[in-house]
Amino acid sequence: MTRSVRIENVSFGYGGTPVLDDVSLDVGAGEFFAFLGPSGSGKTTLLRLIAGFGEPASGRILIGDTDVTDLPPWKRNVGMVFQSYALWPHMTVAKNVAFGLERRKLPRADIARKVESALALVGLAGYADRRPAQLSGGQQQRVALARTLAIEPDVLLLDEPLSNLDAKLRVEMRAELRRLQRKLGLTAIYVTHDQEEANAIADRIAVLDGGKIQQVGTPVALYDHPANRFVATFLGTANLVEGRIAGDRFESDGWSLPGIAGGDGATCIAIRPQDIIPGTEGAVRATVTEKEFLGGHTRYRMQAGRHSLIVDVPHRGDAGGLPLGSDVALSIDPKRVTPLR
Amino acid sequence: MSAPALASTSRSARSSVGRKLAAYNASPTQALALLVIALLLIAFLVVPIVRVIVVAFTGPAGGFSLVHFGDFFRTGLLRESFWNSVYVGVMTVVVASLIAVPLATLLSRFQFRGAALIHTLGVLPLVMPPFVGAIAMQLIYGRNGTINLILGDHFGFRIPFMEGLNGVIFVEALHYFPFILLNLSASLANIDTSMEESAQNLGASGFTLFSRIVFPLALPGYVAGAALVFVKVFDDLATPLLLNVNAMLAPQAYLKITSVGIADPMGYVISVIMICAALGAMAISTLALRHIDFATTQRGGGGLGRRSLGRFGNTVAAVFVVLILLLVLSPHIGIFLLSIGTVWSFAELPDGYTLAHYATVFSEAQGLIGNTVLYCGLAGLIDVIIGAVLAYLVLRTRLPGRKLVEQVALAAVAVPGLVLGIGLLRTYYDVHLPFTDVPFATFWLMLVIAYAVRRLPYALTAATAALRQLHLSLEEAAENLGAGKLSTLSRIVVPLVTGGLFAGFVTSFATAAVELSATLLLVASERDAPISYGIYVYMQSAAGRGPGAALGVIAVVTVAIATYCAYRLSERERDRRSRGGLAV
């Protein structure tokens, strides 16, 4: 049965070092949710707390309406796929998958049937009698998934499950994970440090840094409306321009941008590289200092007053683009500017 | 190792042999070196062992026969000895496991503050060979020893720690349990945390978790340790002899050869049984290790999760560890007390204390110490030279057969000292030294050879490790900058491998200094005897126990210092390796 997950004011530390600081979060039933953050941000720790590995110093964790904070891992019915797969080398594939079902005291015939269907689900029918060491990395990943899905968990937890696969397989597997999750209607929480992976797979993302949730939202909302400097720069590339907003006008060295809504008192603005359009007219004057041709677009580095900016210009046809050292005017749509405090 | 300097001459010689050798990336000197090593191994390892096996299977009228094996199992005493040896081997594994398994579990599964103490427990017994402490153990745990006198006086009962086979089991278990401890903790430490967590995640806990996941994954390490203990105990000659337990295989083989004579076939039959036991044990550990590599290669987090013991658990654990520490230290303490005690008999402690035994040892037994230094020094030197040359030939040339020679040299580690002793005795008894009627087999040099052959695997492994760390590009860089073969060797190769080779020498020296099985067979006169033989002879008489113990203390201190040096050297090497400026 699929259930929601609620995290209420959870804090956690390893011997004095705080890892999670007052984290609260709601994951809806049937939602594909991602924890995204750099290493050391606490995302894996949070996932492990949901599975019951470690005890929060304070706060509660609820699965559905049940408070599981004090339940040991083996009583939670939360399925976790480990980064290292954690397949037991002394058991065959079938034994690995059957393990959780045996713990649930199912009749033997049911176990056999469920093992078979779990393996078929991940496309490994016929591999039941192999040992983990005889499988490729991708196949091991599928066995780990089948082993977890077989117990029909309330929540599926995935700890960087694709990080040990090569790039091509990673893209294939993430699409397949998404398909399986939709098909089974599972609540899934996915930990990753790869923003592209999170964007591609998740309904919603929680961005973590320094043990705190920085922002929660859909991938598009996070990209378009980052809540702070960390989110703005961690998800995609952003130009952060320090200055001051008074009323609706941003002022800085050589800059004066009117029409920015809801930013009174902010000290910084974030602008995506493709939202700065170089031309002959615009509010900001700049000089081209570096350029890189990247295929789909050209990335320029420009100096505008004391601010260094990254500007992406889509490449269409064989125009030579802007020469190094040329002076340009930059026009910026105030609606695409995010004020940050 | 001066061989590379001659590589260019082989090219200029242009003979057909030279061309062929160049294809093997070797010079004539190197080929000759390999040949000499191969011949030495054939003469002093292969031929003696084959000789032992052939004799065991040759009937009275010549030709292949199982008649001696039939005789063996028809003789009551030998049959009893066989079962006694098996029983002692198995029971030692059981007792050693009772000590080692809780310690290993404590070390790798729980947060225990005395972890350093357990690590100490892991090495302490190994510096003292079991036979040295055997007599002291009798004085502490024997029928009229310290513990039983106290028990008898205060509680009216005694525990037969040292009665008959019990004594052998007790002494050997206290000496050999570290093999199980070290192997099992290594194997527990290598289990990935996620192995355990994924089982918990799927609903397993407590005993199910242990029996289905942790135990099967740790089993291979345990089996490897247990097999090693069984073989060591099965082969040990000196401990049962000193404890006056003669109805076991090794003492029987020794007594047959020394009292009935070198022609008596039973010693050879027993040798074959010992070789089979060693091979069987090796096969079992290899089988057990089949699946384990996978569990340790997929790394998530290191080691199993450690639980807190709680106050009660911590107390129980501390009491257990201290108890084991006292047990482990008791032969050390006992031998020390014995060496400074005046009379120690039917008493908890010696009657008085004196340094006279040390004085006796230094006046009477200088020859023993001198002999040990000479024999073991020579043996260590031979090992380092052969080990270094062989390692170089294996790693740097493509000479045919070099791997086989290496395998043969390494196989010596599985040959019981008693078997090698019997083989050497049989093979070289009829070979006389020129112009004398002294058999080569009992000439003192044969002891050096026996020591060298059995310790060669340590030195070879050390040399291979040292050379492997010396990447070929380091030599090539020197040559590229204008250094010739010889100056490359002296300025680059030798300085970089010296530490590793010295560690190999020390290990060979220290283990040879306390070896007794082959020694007992090959020593012909007391004048030629080394320290281990001296301890054995002194310990035989009640009056000699003091000086014997003093000799034992000297030997143990020497071995301890040597072991510590070898350890420090290998640490330094590892440190240097990790800092080495080599981007490979």
Side-chain angles (χ1 to χ4, degrees), chain B residues 134-466:
Chain B
I135 295 295
M137 291 293 279
Q138 210 144 36
L139 291 170
I140 300 175
Y141 298 98
R143 187 178 306 182
N144 297 308
T146 315
I147 299 294
N148 273 327
L149 284 178
I150 294 172
L151 284 177
D153 286 352
H154 295 275
F155 305 99
F157 74 96
R158 291 167 184 219
I159 302 172
F161 293 108
M162 300 295 291
E163 303 297 311
L165 299 178
N166 287 0
V168 185
I169 294 168
F170 189 47
V171 171
E172 304 269 25
L174 277 189
H175 179 69
Y176 285 119
F177 81 87
F179 286 134
I180 296 180
L181 174 62
L182 298 175
N183 278 290
L184 183 60
S185 354
S187 137
L188 279 170
N190 275 334
I191 300 175
D192 198 303
T193 325
S194 63
M195 288 282 150
E196 186 185 31
E197 288 181 345
S198 56
Q200 291 178 330
N201 178 251
L202 293 172
S205 64
F207 183 70
T208 317
L209 178 66
F210 178 79
S211 67
R212 293 286 309 274
I213 306 293
V214 177
F215 180 73
L217 288 175
L219 189 63
Y222 173 75
V223 170
L228 194 57
V229 170
F230 180 86
V231 169
K232 290 274 180 194
V233 174
F234 202 74
D235 295 344
D236 191 14
L237 168 63
T239 310
L241 272 188
L242 262 176
L243 291 173
N244 214 9
V245 175
N246 291 333
M248 286 178 65
L249 284 185
Q252 281 303 315
Y254 170 70
L255 293 171
K256 291 286 177 206
I257 297 283
T258 51
S259 60
V260 181
I262 195 168
D264 186 272
M266 285 311 127
Y268 303 90
V269 172
I270 291 171
S271 296
V272 169
I273 294 173
M274 285 181 165
I275 293 172
C276 291
L279 292 177
M282 269 163 68
I284 288 174
S285 15
T286 317
L287 274 179
L289 286 166
R290 251 180 332 168
H291 297 305
I292 198 62
D293 48 341
F294 183 72
T296 57
T297 49
Q298 39 168 357
R299 298 229 57 107
L304 295 172
R306 298 224 173 119
R307 287 165 196 40
S308 158
L309 272 168
R311 181 171 297 189
F312 177 71
N314 249 317
T315 314
V316 172
V319 168
F320 180 75
V321 170
V322 168
L323 206 67
I324 298 296
L325 187 66
L326 284 178
L327 272 177
V328 162
L329 278 176
S330 52
H332 297 74
I333 298 168
I335 197 83
F336 179 68
L337 285 179
L338 196 54
S339 77
I340 57 164
T342 48
V343 178
W344 186 5
S345 177
F346 286 92
E348 282 92 344
L349 289 170
D351 299 346
Y353 297 96
T354 172
L355 285 175
H357 301 317
Y358 285 92
T360 313
V361 165
F362 281 111
S363 66
E364 280 181 16
Q366 275 175 358
L368 296 173
I369 299 170
N371 283 343
T372 290
V373 172
L374 174 68
Y375 300 170
C376 302
L378 272 179
L381 203 63
I382 293 173
D383 281 345
V384 164
I385 293 171
I386 294 187
V389 172
L390 189 52
Y392 192 89
L393 294 174
V394 167
L395 290 175
R396 294 282 199 267
T397 76
R398 286 189 293 274
L399 282 169
R402 67 192 197 287
K403 293 267 185 196
L404 182 68
V405 177
E406 187 192 26
Q407 286 305 315
V408 170
L410 288 175
V413 82
V415 176
L418 182 69
V419 176
L420 185 67
I422 292 177
L424 288 171
L425 201 58
R426 176 79 187 207
T427 312
Y428 295 101
Y429 199 77
D430 298 330
V431 181
H432 291 253
L433 292 175
F435 315 116
T436 66
D437 54 356
V438 178
F440 186 28
T442 52
F443 182 52
W444 62 268
L445 197 58
M446 194 49 94
L447 265 183
V448 175
I449 292 171
Y451 293 161
V453 168
R454 287 203 61 213
R455 269 79 197 167
L456 182 56
Y458 305 128
L460 180 56
T461 314
T464 306

Side-chain angles (χ1 to χ4, degrees), chain B residues 101 196 241 389 439 441 500 532 561 567:
Chain B
V101 173
E196 186 185 31
L241 272 188
V389 172
S532 54
I561 292 172
Y567 168 76

Side-chain angles (χ1 to χ4, degrees), chain A residues 13 19-20 23 32 64 69 71 105 120 124 137-138 144-145 159 169 184 186 194 201 205 269 305 324 329:
Chain A
V19 179
L20 291 172
V23 169
F32 205 126
T69 318
L71 283 185
K105 311 247 185 311
L124 282 182
L145 193 59
D159 182 11
L169 204 54
L184 303 172
L186 272 171
D194 180 341
I201 207 166
I205 298 173
I269 53 169
L324 283 178

Side-chain angles (χ1 to χ4, degrees), chain A residues 48 78 80 84 88 90 104, chain B residues 194-195 197 201-202 298:
Chain A
R48 289 168 58 82
V78 162
M80 178 151 166
S84 62
W88 302 300
H90 60 294
R104 282 158 179 75
Chain B
S194 63
M195 288 282 150
E197 288 181 345
N201 178 251
L202 293 172
Q298 39 168 357

Side-chain angles (χ1 to χ4, degrees), chain B residues 91-164:
Chain B
M91 285 311 290
T92 303
V93 168
V94 171
V95 175
S97 303
L98 289 178
I99 300 173
V101 173
L103 289 181
T105 312
L106 207 53
L107 204 56
S108 48
R109 309 268 299 154
F110 294 98
Q111 293 159 355
F112 178 61
R113 249 174 294 157
L117 209 56
I118 302 183
H119 284 297
T120 316
L121 279 174
V123 259
L124 210 49
L126 295 178
V127 298
M128 177 149 96
F131 77 90
V132 175
I135 295 295
M137 291 293 279
Q138 210 144 36
L139 291 170
I140 300 175
Y141 298 98
R143 187 178 306 182
N144 297 308
T146 315
I147 299 294
N148 273 327
L149 284 178
I150 294 172
L151 284 177
D153 286 352
H154 295 275
F155 305 99
F157 74 96
R158 291 167 184 219
I159 302 172
F161 293 108
M162 300 295 291
E163 303 297 311

